[in-house]
mmCIF file of all heavy atoms in Angstrom:
data_model
loop_
_atom_site.group_PDB
_atom_site.id
_atom_site.type_symbol
_atom_site.label_atom_id
_atom_site.label_comp_id
_atom_site.label_asym_id
_atom_site.label_seq_id
_atom_site.Cartn_x
_atom_site.Cartn_y
_atom_site.Cartn_z
ATOM 1 N N ILE S 39 -117.434 -168.758 -139.393
ATOM 2 C CA ILE S 39 -117.171 -167.682 -138.435
ATOM 3 C C ILE S 39 -116.280 -166.605 -139.058
ATOM 4 O O ILE S 39 -116.538 -165.405 -138.914
ATOM 5 C CB ILE S 39 -116.543 -168.249 -137.150
ATOM 6 C CG1 ILE S 39 -117.588 -169.094 -136.400
ATOM 7 C CG2 ILE S 39 -116.011 -167.139 -136.258
ATOM 8 C CD1 ILE S 39 -117.048 -169.876 -135.234
ATOM 9 N N LYS S 40 -115.253 -167.023 -139.777
ATOM 10 C CA LYS S 40 -114.367 -166.071 -140.445
ATOM 11 C C LYS S 40 -115.125 -165.259 -141.485
ATOM 12 O O LYS S 40 -114.878 -164.062 -141.664
ATOM 13 C CB LYS S 40 -113.203 -166.809 -141.102
ATOM 14 C CG LYS S 40 -112.159 -165.888 -141.722
ATOM 15 C CD LYS S 40 -111.003 -166.683 -142.314
ATOM 16 C CE LYS S 40 -109.967 -165.746 -142.946
ATOM 17 N NZ LYS S 40 -108.838 -166.511 -143.548
ATOM 18 N N SER S 41 -116.076 -165.903 -142.156
ATOM 19 C CA SER S 41 -116.838 -165.242 -143.219
ATOM 20 C C SER S 41 -117.831 -164.212 -142.701
ATOM 21 O O SER S 41 -118.363 -163.414 -143.477
ATOM 22 C CB SER S 41 -117.584 -166.289 -144.054
ATOM 23 O OG SER S 41 -116.682 -167.154 -144.713
ATOM 24 N N THR S 42 -118.104 -164.208 -141.383
ATOM 25 C CA THR S 42 -118.994 -163.185 -140.828
ATOM 26 C C THR S 42 -118.332 -161.814 -140.861
ATOM 27 O O THR S 42 -119.009 -160.788 -140.837
ATOM 28 C CB THR S 42 -119.386 -163.496 -139.375
ATOM 29 O OG1 THR S 42 -118.212 -163.433 -138.539
ATOM 30 C CG2 THR S 42 -120.041 -164.866 -139.254
ATOM 31 N N GLU S 43 -116.983 -161.819 -140.889
ATOM 32 C CA GLU S 43 -116.185 -160.584 -140.929
ATOM 33 C C GLU S 43 -116.438 -159.704 -139.712
ATOM 34 O O GLU S 43 -116.263 -158.483 -139.759
ATOM 35 C CB GLU S 43 -116.458 -159.811 -142.224
ATOM 36 C CG GLU S 43 -116.071 -160.608 -143.482
ATOM 37 C CD GLU S 43 -116.347 -159.860 -144.767
ATOM 38 O OE1 GLU S 43 -116.981 -158.789 -144.716
ATOM 39 O OE2 GLU S 43 -115.930 -160.353 -145.839
ATOM 40 N N LEU S 44 -116.843 -160.311 -138.599
ATOM 41 C CA LEU S 44 -117.047 -159.583 -137.356
ATOM 42 C C LEU S 44 -115.810 -159.715 -136.468
ATOM 43 O O LEU S 44 -115.091 -160.707 -136.530
ATOM 44 C CB LEU S 44 -118.264 -160.128 -136.615
ATOM 45 C CG LEU S 44 -119.621 -159.946 -137.296
ATOM 46 C CD1 LEU S 44 -120.712 -160.666 -136.502
ATOM 47 C CD2 LEU S 44 -119.967 -158.478 -137.447
ATOM 48 N N LYS S 45 -115.567 -158.720 -135.644
ATOM 49 C CA LYS S 45 -114.429 -158.761 -134.731
ATOM 50 C C LYS S 45 -114.677 -159.793 -133.634
ATOM 51 O O LYS S 45 -115.786 -159.913 -133.116
ATOM 52 C CB LYS S 45 -114.201 -157.382 -134.120
ATOM 53 C CG LYS S 45 -113.706 -156.345 -135.119
ATOM 54 C CD LYS S 45 -113.424 -155.017 -134.433
ATOM 55 C CE LYS S 45 -112.895 -153.991 -135.435
ATOM 56 N NZ LYS S 45 -112.623 -152.691 -134.783
ATOM 57 N N LEU S 46 -113.641 -160.539 -133.296
ATOM 58 C CA LEU S 46 -113.755 -161.588 -132.294
ATOM 59 C C LEU S 46 -112.884 -161.273 -131.095
ATOM 60 O O LEU S 46 -111.773 -160.762 -131.237
ATOM 61 C CB LEU S 46 -113.328 -162.939 -132.892
ATOM 62 C CG LEU S 46 -113.973 -163.346 -134.216
ATOM 63 C CD1 LEU S 46 -113.385 -164.673 -134.681
ATOM 64 C CD2 LEU S 46 -115.480 -163.447 -134.094
ATOM 65 N N ARG S 48 -110.642 -162.870 -128.972
ATOM 66 C CA ARG S 48 -109.899 -164.132 -128.995
ATOM 67 C C ARG S 48 -109.695 -164.738 -127.602
ATOM 68 O O ARG S 48 -109.649 -165.956 -127.449
ATOM 69 C CB ARG S 48 -108.536 -163.908 -129.654
ATOM 70 C CG ARG S 48 -108.633 -163.506 -131.131
ATOM 71 C CD ARG S 48 -109.183 -164.636 -131.964
ATOM 72 N NE ARG S 48 -109.319 -164.275 -133.379
ATOM 73 C CZ ARG S 48 -109.846 -165.077 -134.298
ATOM 74 N NH1 ARG S 48 -110.314 -166.259 -133.931
ATOM 75 N NH2 ARG S 48 -109.951 -164.688 -135.551
ATOM 76 N N PHE S 56 -120.758 -167.557 -129.803
ATOM 77 C CA PHE S 56 -120.708 -166.534 -130.856
ATOM 78 C C PHE S 56 -121.865 -166.722 -131.839
ATOM 79 O O PHE S 56 -122.588 -165.772 -132.175
ATOM 80 C CB PHE S 56 -119.370 -166.616 -131.584
ATOM 81 C CG PHE S 56 -119.282 -165.750 -132.801
ATOM 82 C CD1 PHE S 56 -119.024 -164.388 -132.688
ATOM 83 C CD2 PHE S 56 -119.449 -166.289 -134.069
ATOM 84 C CE1 PHE S 56 -118.945 -163.575 -133.818
ATOM 85 C CE2 PHE S 56 -119.368 -165.495 -135.205
ATOM 86 C CZ PHE S 56 -119.116 -164.134 -135.080
ATOM 87 N N ILE S 60 -125.562 -164.378 -132.238
ATOM 88 C CA ILE S 60 -125.255 -163.467 -133.346
ATOM 89 C C ILE S 60 -126.339 -162.407 -133.522
ATOM 90 O O ILE S 60 -126.073 -161.312 -134.039
ATOM 91 C CB ILE S 60 -125.061 -164.276 -134.659
ATOM 92 C CG1 ILE S 60 -124.273 -163.466 -135.685
ATOM 93 C CG2 ILE S 60 -126.404 -164.723 -135.216
ATOM 94 C CD1 ILE S 60 -122.825 -163.287 -135.354
ATOM 95 N N ARG S 63 -125.573 -158.948 -132.458
ATOM 96 C CA ARG S 63 -124.568 -158.172 -133.184
ATOM 97 C C ARG S 63 -125.009 -157.804 -134.602
ATOM 98 O O ARG S 63 -124.412 -156.943 -135.236
ATOM 99 C CB ARG S 63 -123.250 -158.958 -133.246
ATOM 100 C CG ARG S 63 -122.679 -159.288 -131.874
ATOM 101 C CD ARG S 63 -121.308 -159.915 -131.965
ATOM 102 N NE ARG S 63 -120.327 -159.022 -132.549
ATOM 103 C CZ ARG S 63 -119.026 -159.302 -132.654
ATOM 104 N NH1 ARG S 63 -118.575 -160.466 -132.214
ATOM 105 N NH2 ARG S 63 -118.193 -158.458 -133.201
ATOM 106 N N VAL S 64 -126.030 -158.493 -135.083
ATOM 107 C CA VAL S 64 -126.543 -158.242 -136.432
ATOM 108 C C VAL S 64 -128.046 -157.999 -136.331
ATOM 109 O O VAL S 64 -128.737 -158.738 -135.637
ATOM 110 C CB VAL S 64 -126.266 -159.446 -137.365
ATOM 111 C CG1 VAL S 64 -126.835 -159.182 -138.763
ATOM 112 C CG2 VAL S 64 -124.775 -159.743 -137.445
ATOM 113 N N PHE S 72 -126.016 -160.135 -144.769
ATOM 114 C CA PHE S 72 -125.038 -160.837 -143.931
ATOM 115 C C PHE S 72 -124.960 -162.299 -144.344
ATOM 116 O O PHE S 72 -123.878 -162.859 -144.563
ATOM 117 C CB PHE S 72 -125.484 -160.693 -142.476
ATOM 118 C CG PHE S 72 -124.627 -161.413 -141.469
ATOM 119 C CD1 PHE S 72 -123.369 -160.945 -141.135
ATOM 120 C CD2 PHE S 72 -125.103 -162.561 -140.841
ATOM 121 C CE1 PHE S 72 -122.587 -161.598 -140.186
ATOM 122 C CE2 PHE S 72 -124.337 -163.220 -139.897
ATOM 123 C CZ PHE S 72 -123.076 -162.741 -139.572
#
Side-chain angles (χ1 to χ4, degrees):
I39 291 171
K40 185 178 179 181
S41 297
T42 65
E43 298 180 352
L44 295 174
K45 291 183 179 180
L46 309 177
R48 296 293 179 184
F56 172 80
I60 200 71
R63 301 187 63 175
V64 179
F72 177 73

